Coordinates of all heavy atoms in Angstrom, one line a residue:
M188 N 32.2 30.1 -14.4 CA 30.9 29.7 -14.0 C 30.1 29.6 -15.3 O 30.1 30.5 -16.1 CB 30.3 30.8 -13.1 CG 28.9 30.5 -12.7 SD 28.1 31.8 -11.7 CE 29.2 32.1 -10.4
N189 N 29.3 28.6 -15.3 CA 28.4 28.4 -16.5 C 27.1 29.3 -16.4 O 26.9 29.9 -15.3 CB 28.1 26.9 -16.7 CG 27.3 26.3 -15.6 OD1 26.7 27.0 -14.8 ND2 27.3 25.0 -15.5
A190 N 26.3 29.3 -17.4 CA 25.1 30.1 -17.4 C 24.1 29.7 -16.4 O 23.5 30.5 -15.7 CB 24.5 30.0 -18.8
F191 N 24.0 28.3 -16.2 CA 23.1 27.8 -15.2 C 23.5 28.3 -13.8 O 22.6 28.7 -13.0 CB 23.0 26.3 -15.3 CG 22.0 25.7 -14.3 CD1 20.6 25.9 -14.5 CD2 22.4 25.1 -13.2 CE1 19.7 25.4 -13.6 CE2 21.6 24.5 -12.3 CZ 20.2 24.7 -12.5
G192 N 24.7 28.2 -13.5 CA 25.2 28.7 -12.2 C 25.0 30.1 -11.9 O 24.6 30.6 -10.8
H193 N 25.2 30.9 -13.0 CA 24.9 32.4 -12.9 C 23.4 32.6 -12.6 O 23.1 33.5 -11.8 CB 25.3 33.1 -14.2 CG 25.1 34.5 -14.2 ND1 25.8 35.4 -13.3 CD2 24.2 35.3 -14.9 CE1 25.3 36.6 -13.5 NE2 24.4 36.6 -14.5
I194 N 22.5 31.9 -13.3 CA 21.1 32.1 -13.1 C 20.7 31.7 -11.6 O 20.0 32.4 -11.0 CB 20.3 31.2 -14.1 CG1 20.4 31.8 -15.5 CG2 18.8 31.1 -13.7 CD1 19.9 30.9 -16.6
V195 N 21.3 30.6 -11.1 CA 21.0 30.2 -9.8 C 21.5 31.2 -8.8 O 20.7 31.6 -7.8 CB 21.6 28.8 -9.5 CG1 21.6 28.4 -8.0 CG2 21.0 27.7 -10.3
N196 N 22.7 31.7 -8.9 CA 23.2 32.7 -8.0 C 22.3 34.0 -8.0 O 22.1 34.6 -7.0 CB 24.6 33.1 -8.4 CG 25.6 32.0 -8.0 OD1 25.3 31.2 -7.1 ND2 26.8 32.0 -8.6
T197 N 21.9 34.4 -9.2 CA 21.1 35.6 -9.3 C 19.7 35.4 -8.7 O 19.3 36.3 -7.9 CB 20.9 36.0 -10.8 OG1 22.2 36.2 -11.4 CG2 20.1 37.3 -11.0
L198 N 19.1 34.3 -8.9 CA 17.8 34.1 -8.4 C 17.9 33.9 -6.8 O 17.0 34.4 -6.1 CB 17.1 32.8 -9.0 CG 16.7 33.0 -10.4 CD1 16.1 31.7 -11.0 CD2 15.6 34.1 -10.5
S199 N 18.9 33.2 -6.4 CA 19.0 33.0 -4.9 C 19.3 34.3 -4.2 O 18.8 34.6 -3.1 CB 20.0 32.0 -4.6 OG 21.3 32.4 -4.9
S200 N 20.1 35.2 -4.8 CA 20.3 36.5 -4.1 C 19.1 37.4 -4.2 O 18.9 38.2 -3.3 CB 21.5 37.2 -4.8 OG 21.3 37.5 -6.1
D201 N 18.3 37.3 -5.2 CA 17.1 38.1 -5.4 C 16.0 37.6 -4.5 O 15.2 38.4 -4.0 CB 16.7 38.2 -6.8 CG 17.2 39.4 -7.6 OD1 17.8 40.2 -7.0 OD2 16.9 39.4 -8.8
A202 N 15.9 36.3 -4.4 CA 14.7 35.7 -3.8 C 14.7 35.8 -2.3 O 13.6 35.9 -1.7 CB 14.6 34.2 -4.2
F203 N 15.8 35.8 -1.7 CA 15.7 35.7 -0.2 C 15.7 37.0 0.5 O 14.9 37.3 1.4 CB 16.9 34.8 0.3 CG 16.8 34.6 1.7 CD1 15.7 33.8 2.2 CD2 17.7 35.0 2.6 CE1 15.6 33.6 3.6 CE2 17.6 34.8 4.0 CZ 16.6 34.0 4.5
K204 N 16.6 37.9 0.2 CA 16.8 39.1 1.0 C 17.1 40.3 0.1 O 17.9 40.2 -0.8 CB 17.9 38.9 2.0 CG 18.1 40.1 2.9 CD 19.2 39.9 3.9 CE 19.4 41.1 4.7 NZ 20.6 41.0 5.6
D205 N 16.5 41.5 0.4 CA 16.7 42.7 -0.3 C 18.0 43.4 0.4 O 17.9 43.9 1.5 CB 15.5 43.6 -0.2 CG 15.6 44.9 -1.0 OD1 16.8 45.1 -1.6 OD2 14.7 45.6 -1.2
N206 N 19.1 43.3 -0.3 CA 20.3 43.8 0.3 C 20.5 45.3 0.2 O 21.3 45.9 0.8 CB 21.6 43.1 -0.4 CG 21.6 41.7 0.0 OD1 21.4 41.3 1.1 ND2 22.0 40.8 -1.0
D207 N 19.6 45.9 -0.7 CA 19.7 47.4 -0.9 C 18.8 48.1 0.1 O 18.7 49.3 0.0 CB 19.3 47.7 -2.3 CG 20.3 47.1 -3.3 OD1 21.5 47.0 -3.0 OD2 19.9 46.9 -4.4
F208 N 18.0 47.4 0.9 CA 17.0 48.0 1.8 C 17.7 48.6 3.0 O 18.5 47.9 3.7 CB 16.0 46.9 2.2 CG 14.9 47.4 3.1 CD1 13.9 48.2 2.6 CD2 14.9 47.1 4.4 CE1 12.9 48.7 3.4 CE2 13.9 47.5 5.2 CZ 12.9 48.3 4.7
T209 N 17.3 49.8 3.4 CA 17.7 50.4 4.6 C 16.8 50.0 5.7 O 15.6 50.3 5.6 CB 17.8 52.0 4.5 OG1 18.6 52.3 3.4 CG2 18.3 52.6 5.7
P210 N 17.2 49.4 6.8 CA 16.3 48.9 7.8 C 15.5 50.1 8.4 O 15.9 51.2 8.5 CB 17.3 48.4 8.9 CG 18.5 48.1 8.2 CD 18.6 49.1 7.1
V211 N 14.2 49.7 8.8 CA 13.3 50.7 9.4 C 13.6 50.6 10.9 O 14.0 49.6 11.5 CB 11.9 50.4 9.1 CG1 11.6 50.5 7.7 CG2 11.4 49.0 9.6
C212 N 13.3 51.7 11.6 CA 13.5 51.7 13.1 C 12.3 50.9 13.7 O 11.3 50.7 13.2 CB 13.5 53.1 13.6 SG 12.0 54.0 13.5
K213 N 12.5 50.5 15.0 CA 11.5 49.8 15.7 C 10.2 50.5 15.9 O 9.2 49.9 15.9 CB 12.1 49.3 17.1 CG 13.2 48.3 16.9 CD 13.7 47.8 18.3 CE 14.8 46.8 18.0 NZ 15.3 46.2 19.3
Y214 N 10.3 51.8 16.0 CA 9.1 52.6 16.2 C 8.2 52.6 15.0 O 7.0 52.4 15.1 CB 9.5 54.1 16.6 CG 8.3 55.0 16.7 CD1 7.5 55.0 17.8 CD2 7.9 55.8 15.6 CE1 6.4 55.8 17.9 CE2 6.8 56.6 15.7 CZ 6.0 56.6 16.9 OH 4.9 57.4 17.0
E215 N 8.8 52.7 13.8 CA 8.1 52.7 12.5 C 7.5 51.3 12.4 O 6.3 51.1 11.9 CB 9.0 53.0 11.3 CG 9.4 54.4 11.2 CD 10.3 54.6 10.0 OE1 9.7 54.6 8.9 OE2 11.5 54.7 10.2
Y216 N 8.2 50.2 12.7 CA 7.7 48.9 12.6 C 6.6 48.6 13.6 O 5.6 48.0 13.2 CB 8.9 47.9 12.9 CG 8.5 46.5 12.8 CD1 8.1 45.9 11.5 CD2 8.6 45.6 13.9 CE1 7.8 44.6 11.4 CE2 8.2 44.2 13.7 CZ 7.9 43.8 12.5 OH 7.5 42.4 12.4
A217 N 6.7 49.1 14.8 CA 5.6 49.0 15.8 C 4.3 49.7 15.3 O 3.2 49.2 15.4 CB 6.0 49.5 17.1
T218 N 4.5 50.9 14.7 CA 3.4 51.6 14.1 C 2.7 50.8 13.0 O 1.5 50.7 12.9 CB 3.8 53.0 13.6 OG1 4.4 53.7 14.7 CG2 2.6 53.8 13.0
F219 N 3.6 50.2 12.1 CA 3.1 49.4 11.0 C 2.3 48.2 11.5 O 1.2 47.9 11.0 CB 4.2 48.9 10.1 CG 3.9 47.8 9.2 CD1 3.1 48.0 8.1 CD2 4.2 46.5 9.6 CE1 2.7 47.0 7.3 CE2 3.9 45.4 8.7 CZ 3.1 45.7 7.6
C220 N 2.8 47.6 12.6 CA 2.1 46.4 13.1 C 0.7 46.8 13.6 O -0.2 46.0 13.5 CB 2.9 45.8 14.3 SG 4.4 45.0 13.7
K221 N 0.6 47.9 14.2 CA -0.7 48.4 14.7 C -1.7 48.7 13.6 O -2.9 48.4 13.6 CB -0.6 49.6 15.6 CG 0.1 49.3 16.9 CD 0.3 50.6 17.7 CE 1.2 50.3 18.9 NZ 1.6 51.5 19.6
E222 N -1.1 49.3 12.5 CA -2.0 49.7 11.4 C -2.3 48.6 10.5 O -3.2 48.6 9.6 CB -1.3 50.8 10.6 CG -1.1 52.1 11.4 CD -0.3 53.1 10.7 OE1 0.3 52.8 9.6 OE2 -0.2 54.3 11.2
Y223 N -1.5 47.5 10.6 CA -1.7 46.3 9.7 C -3.1 45.7 9.9 O -3.7 45.1 9.0 CB -0.7 45.2 10.0 CG -1.0 43.9 9.4 CD1 -1.0 43.8 8.0 CD2 -1.4 42.8 10.1 CE1 -1.3 42.6 7.4 CE2 -1.7 41.6 9.5 CZ -1.6 41.5 8.1 OH -2.0 40.3 7.5
V224 N -3.8 45.9 11.0 CA -5.1 45.4 11.3 C -6.1 45.7 10.1 O -6.8 44.9 9.6 CB -5.7 46.0 12.6 CG1 -7.1 45.6 12.8 CG2 -4.9 45.5 13.7
F225 N -5.9 46.9 9.6 CA -6.8 47.4 8.5 C -6.5 46.6 7.2 O -7.4 46.3 6.4 CB -6.7 48.9 8.3 CG -7.1 49.7 9.5 CD1 -6.2 50.3 10.3 CD2 -8.5 49.7 9.9 CE1 -6.6 51.0 11.4 CE2 -8.9 50.4 11.0 CZ -7.9 51.0 11.8
E226 N -5.2 46.4 6.9 CA -4.8 45.6 5.8 C -5.3 44.2 5.9 O -5.6 43.5 4.9 CB -3.3 45.7 5.6 CG -2.8 47.1 5.3 CD -3.3 47.6 3.9 OE1 -3.3 46.8 3.0 OE2 -3.6 48.8 3.9
K227 N -5.2 43.6 7.1 CA -5.6 42.2 7.3 C -7.1 42.1 7.0 O -7.5 41.0 6.4 CB -5.3 41.8 8.7 CG -5.5 40.4 9.0 CD -5.0 40.0 10.4 CE -5.1 38.5 10.5 NZ -4.5 38.0 11.7
L228 N -7.9 43.1 7.3 CA -9.3 43.0 7.0 C -9.6 43.0 5.5 O -10.6 42.4 5.0 CB -10.0 44.2 7.6 CG -10.1 44.2 9.1 CD1 -10.7 45.5 9.6 CD2 -10.9 43.0 9.7
K229 N -8.6 43.5 4.7 CA -8.7 43.5 3.3 C -8.2 42.2 2.7 O -8.3 42.0 1.5 CB -7.9 44.6 2.7 CG -8.5 46.0 3.0 CD -7.5 47.1 2.4 CE -7.9 48.4 2.9 NZ -6.9 49.4 2.4
G230 N -7.6 41.3 3.5 CA -7.1 40.0 3.1 C -5.7 40.1 2.6 O -5.2 39.1 2.0
V231 N -4.9 41.1 3.0 CA -3.5 41.3 2.6 C -2.7 40.6 3.7 O -2.9 40.9 4.9 CB -3.2 42.8 2.4 CG1 -1.7 42.9 2.1 CG2 -4.0 43.4 1.4
S232 N -1.7 39.8 3.3 CA -0.9 39.1 4.2 C 0.1 40.1 4.8 O 0.4 41.2 4.3 CB -0.1 38.0 3.6 OG 0.9 38.5 2.7
F233 N 0.6 39.8 6.0 CA 1.6 40.7 6.7 C 2.8 41.0 5.9 O 3.2 42.1 5.8 CB 2.0 40.0 8.1 CG 2.7 40.9 9.0 CD1 2.1 41.8 9.8 CD2 4.1 40.8 9.0 CE1 2.8 42.6 10.6 CE2 4.8 41.7 9.9 CZ 4.2 42.6 10.7
G234 N 3.4 39.9 5.3 CA 4.6 40.1 4.5 C 4.4 41.0 3.3 O 5.2 41.9 3.0
V235 N 3.2 40.9 2.6 CA 2.9 41.7 1.4 C 2.7 43.1 1.9 O 3.2 44.1 1.2 CB 1.7 41.2 0.6 CG1 1.3 42.1 -0.4 CG2 2.1 39.8 0.0
A236 N 2.0 43.3 3.0 CA 1.8 44.7 3.5 C 3.1 45.3 3.9 O 3.3 46.5 3.6 CB 0.8 44.6 4.7
F237 N 4.0 44.6 4.5 CA 5.3 45.1 4.9 C 6.1 45.5 3.6 O 6.7 46.6 3.6 CB 6.1 44.1 5.7 CG 7.4 44.6 6.2 CD1 7.5 45.3 7.4 CD2 8.6 44.3 5.5 CE1 8.7 45.7 7.8 CE2 9.8 44.8 5.9 CZ 9.9 45.5 7.1
Q238 N 6.0 44.7 2.6 CA 6.7 45.0 1.4 C 6.2 46.3 0.7 O 7.0 47.2 0.3 CB 6.6 43.9 0.3 CG 7.4 42.7 0.7 CD 7.1 41.6 -0.3 OE1 6.0 41.2 -0.6 NE2 8.2 41.0 -0.9
K239 N 4.9 46.4 0.7 CA 4.3 47.7 0.1 C 4.6 48.9 0.9 O 4.9 50.0 0.4 CB 2.8 47.5 0.0 CG 2.4 46.5 -1.1 CD 0.9 46.4 -1.2 CE 0.5 45.4 -2.2 NZ -1.0 45.2 -2.3
R240 N 4.5 48.8 2.2 CA 4.7 49.9 3.1 C 6.2 50.4 3.0 O 6.4 51.6 3.0 CB 4.3 49.6 4.5 CG 4.6 50.6 5.6 CD 3.6 51.7 5.6 NE 3.8 52.6 6.7 CZ 3.2 52.5 7.9 NH1 2.3 51.6 8.1 NH2 3.5 53.4 8.8
F241 N 7.1 49.5 3.1 CA 8.5 49.9 3.2 C 9.4 49.7 1.9 O 10.5 50.0 1.9 CB 9.2 49.2 4.4 CG 8.5 49.5 5.7 CD1 7.8 48.6 6.4 CD2 8.7 50.8 6.2 CE1 7.2 48.9 7.6 CE2 8.1 51.1 7.5 CZ 7.4 50.2 8.1
G242 N 8.7 49.2 0.9 CA 9.5 49.1 -0.4 C 10.5 48.0 -0.4 O 11.5 48.1 -1.1
V243 N 10.2 46.9 0.3 CA 11.1 45.7 0.3 C 10.9 44.8 -0.9 O 9.8 44.5 -1.2 CB 10.9 44.9 1.6 CG1 11.9 43.7 1.7 CG2 11.2 45.8 2.8
R244 N 12.0 44.3 -1.5 CA 11.9 43.3 -2.5 C 12.4 42.0 -2.0 O 13.6 41.8 -1.8 CB 12.7 43.7 -3.7 CG 12.3 44.9 -4.5 CD 13.3 45.2 -5.5 NE 14.7 44.7 -5.0 CZ 15.8 45.0 -5.6 NH1 15.9 45.8 -6.6 NH2 16.9 44.6 -5.1
D245 N 11.4 41.1 -1.6 CA 11.8 39.9 -1.0 C 10.7 38.9 -1.3 O 9.6 38.9 -0.8 CB 11.9 40.1 0.5 CG 12.3 38.8 1.3 OD1 12.1 37.7 0.8 OD2 13.0 39.0 2.3
R246 N 11.0 38.0 -2.3 CA 10.0 37.0 -2.7 C 9.5 36.1 -1.7 O 8.4 35.7 -1.6 CB 10.5 36.2 -3.9 CG 10.8 37.1 -5.1 CD 11.3 36.3 -6.3 NE 11.8 37.1 -7.3 CZ 12.6 36.7 -8.3 NH1 13.0 35.5 -8.3 NH2 12.9 37.6 -9.2
V247 N 10.4 35.7 -0.8 CA 10.1 34.8 0.3 C 9.1 35.4 1.2 O 8.1 34.8 1.7 CB 11.3 34.3 1.1 CG1 11.0 33.5 2.3 CG2 12.3 33.6 0.1
L248 N 9.3 36.7 1.6 CA 8.4 37.4 2.5 C 6.9 37.4 2.0 O 6.0 37.3 2.8 CB 8.9 38.8 2.7 CG 8.2 39.6 3.8 CD1 8.2 38.9 5.1 CD2 8.9 41.0 3.9
S249 N 6.8 37.5 0.7 CA 5.4 37.5 0.2 C 4.7 36.2 0.2 O 3.5 36.1 0.0 CB 5.4 38.1 -1.3 OG 6.1 37.2 -2.1
M250 N 5.5 35.1 0.4 CA 4.9 33.8 0.4 C 4.3 33.4 1.8 O 3.5 32.5 1.9 CB 5.9 32.7 0.0 CG 6.4 32.9 -1.4 SD 7.6 31.6 -1.7 CE 8.4 32.3 -3.1
F251 N 4.7 34.0 2.9 CA 4.2 33.7 4.2 C 2.8 34.1 4.4 O 2.4 35.2 4.1 CB 5.0 34.4 5.3 CG 6.4 33.8 5.4 CD1 7.5 34.6 5.1 CD2 6.7 32.5 5.8 CE1 8.8 34.2 5.2 CE2 8.0 32.0 5.9 CZ 9.0 32.9 5.6
R252 N 1.9 33.2 4.8 CA 0.5 33.4 5.1 C 0.3 33.7 6.6 O -0.6 34.4 7.0 CB -0.4 32.3 4.7 CG -0.5 32.2 3.2 CD -1.2 33.3 2.6 NE -0.9 33.5 1.2 CZ -0.7 34.7 0.6 NH1 -0.8 35.8 1.3 NH2 -0.4 34.8 -0.6
D253 N 1.2 33.1 7.4 CA 1.2 33.3 8.9 C 1.9 34.5 9.3 O 3.1 34.7 8.9 CB 1.7 32.0 9.5 CG 1.6 32.0 11.0 OD1 0.5 32.5 11.5 OD2 2.5 31.6 11.7
Q254 N 1.3 35.4 10.1 CA 1.9 36.6 10.5 C 3.2 36.4 11.3 O 4.2 37.1 11.1 CB 1.0 37.5 11.3 CG 1.5 38.8 11.7 CD 0.5 39.7 12.4 OE1 -0.7 39.4 12.3 NE2 0.9 40.7 13.1
A255 N 3.2 35.4 12.2 CA 4.4 35.1 13.0 C 5.5 34.7 12.2 O 6.7 35.1 12.5 CB 4.0 34.0 14.0
D256 N 5.3 33.9 11.1 CA 6.4 33.5 10.2 C 7.0 34.7 9.5 O 8.2 34.8 9.3 CB 5.9 32.4 9.2 CG 5.6 31.1 9.9 OD1 6.0 30.8 11.0 OD2 4.8 30.3 9.3
A257 N 6.1 35.6 9.0 CA 6.6 36.7 8.3 C 7.4 37.7 9.2 O 8.4 38.2 8.9 CB 5.4 37.5 7.7
M258 N 6.9 37.8 10.5 CA 7.6 38.6 11.4 C 9.0 38.0 11.8 O 10.0 38.8 11.9 CB 6.8 38.8 12.7 CG 5.5 39.6 12.5 SD 4.5 39.7 14.0 CE 5.2 41.1 14.8
A259 N 9.1 36.7 11.9 CA 10.3 36.1 12.1 C 11.3 36.3 11.0 O 12.5 36.5 11.2 CB 10.1 34.6 12.4
H260 N 10.8 36.2 9.8 CA 11.6 36.4 8.6 C 12.1 37.9 8.5 O 13.3 38.1 8.2 CB 10.8 36.1 7.3 CG 11.6 36.2 6.0 ND1 12.6 35.3 5.7 CD2 11.6 37.1 5.1 CE1 13.1 35.7 4.5 NE2 12.5 36.8 4.1
I261 N 11.3 38.8 8.8 CA 11.6 40.2 8.8 C 12.8 40.5 9.8 O 13.8 41.1 9.5 CB 10.4 41.1 9.1 CG1 9.4 41.1 8.0 CG2 10.8 42.5 9.5 CD1 8.1 41.6 8.3
N262 N 12.7 39.9 11.0 CA 13.7 40.0 12.0 C 15.0 39.3 11.6 O 16.1 39.9 11.8 CB 13.2 39.5 13.4 CG 12.2 40.5 14.0 OD1 12.3 41.7 13.8 ND2 11.2 39.9 14.6
Y263 N 14.9 38.1 11.0 CA 16.0 37.4 10.6 C 16.8 38.1 9.5 O 18.1 38.1 9.5 CB 15.6 36.0 10.1 CG 16.7 35.2 9.5 CD1 17.6 34.5 10.4 CD2 16.9 35.1 8.1 CE1 18.6 33.8 9.9 CE2 18.0 34.4 7.6 CZ 18.8 33.7 8.5 OH 19.9 33.0 8.0
C264 N 16.1 38.7 8.6 CA 16.8 39.4 7.5 C 17.3 40.8 7.9 O 18.0 41.5 7.2 CB 15.8 39.6 6.3 SG 15.5 38.1 5.5
G265 N 17.0 41.3 9.1 CA 17.5 42.6 9.6 C 16.8 43.8 9.0 O 17.4 44.8 8.9
Y266 N 15.5 43.6 8.6 CA 14.8 44.7 8.0 C 14.4 45.7 9.1 O 14.0 46.8 8.8 CB 13.5 44.2 7.3 CG 13.8 43.4 6.1 CD1 13.0 42.3 5.7 CD2 14.9 43.6 5.3 CE1 13.2 41.6 4.6 CE2 15.2 42.9 4.1 CZ 14.3 41.9 3.8 OH 14.6 41.1 2.7
V267 N 14.4 45.3 10.4 CA 14.1 46.2 11.5 C 15.3 46.3 12.4 O 15.9 45.3 12.8 CB 12.9 45.7 12.3 CG1 12.6 46.6 13.4 CG2 11.7 45.5 11.4
K268 N 15.7 47.5 12.7 CA 16.9 47.8 13.6 C 16.4 48.6 14.8 O 15.7 49.5 14.7 CB 18.0 48.4 12.9 CG 18.6 47.6 11.8 CD 19.5 46.5 12.3 CE 20.1 45.7 11.2 NZ 21.0 44.7 11.6

């Protein structure tokens, strides 16, 4: 594999999903969703608030401005079990 291929693989694995993350339980996630109202008033997006609360490294999650899109991504990646 050449250097460019290595860079692409590294960035793609880092950018999409945090593989080292231990999923949170549904109860903790439901509590976070209720408490997110206060973060939303501060102008923090749902994805960024989730990252800060649970320590997730996911560049894509921080890009979502729509809460429904961020929630769908969280479920797709398996961050909630």
Side-chain angles (χ1 to χ4, degrees):
M188 176 185 311
N189 62 20
F191 182 72
H193 179 67
I194 291 170
V195 169
N196 287 339
T197 302
L198 289 175
S199 65
S200 66
D201 265 357
F203 187 63
K204 182 179 175 188
D205 187 351
N206 293 319
D207 298 329
F208 180 74
T209 303
V211 298
C212 70
K213 290 182 181 184
Y214 177 77
E215 288 180 78
Y216 182 64
T218 302
F219 163 75
C220 290
K221 291 175 187 173
E222 295 172 352
Y223 169 67
V224 172
F225 300 107
E226 294 296 317
K227 188 171 186 173
L228 292 173
K229 296 177 190 175
V231 179
S232 71
F233 189 83
V235 171
F237 184 85
Q238 287 178 307
K239 288 180 182 177
R240 173 79 174 266
F241 298 110
V243 177
R244 296 176 326 194
D245 185 330
R246 293 179 190 164
V247 174
L248 187 56
S249 64
M250 293 180 201
F251 290 115
R252 292 289 158 222
D253 184 41
Q254 182 174 344
D256 292 339
M258 292 174 90
H260 182 73
I261 288 166
N262 288 324
Y263 176 78
C264 289
Y266 294 147
V267 178
K268 296 284 180 177

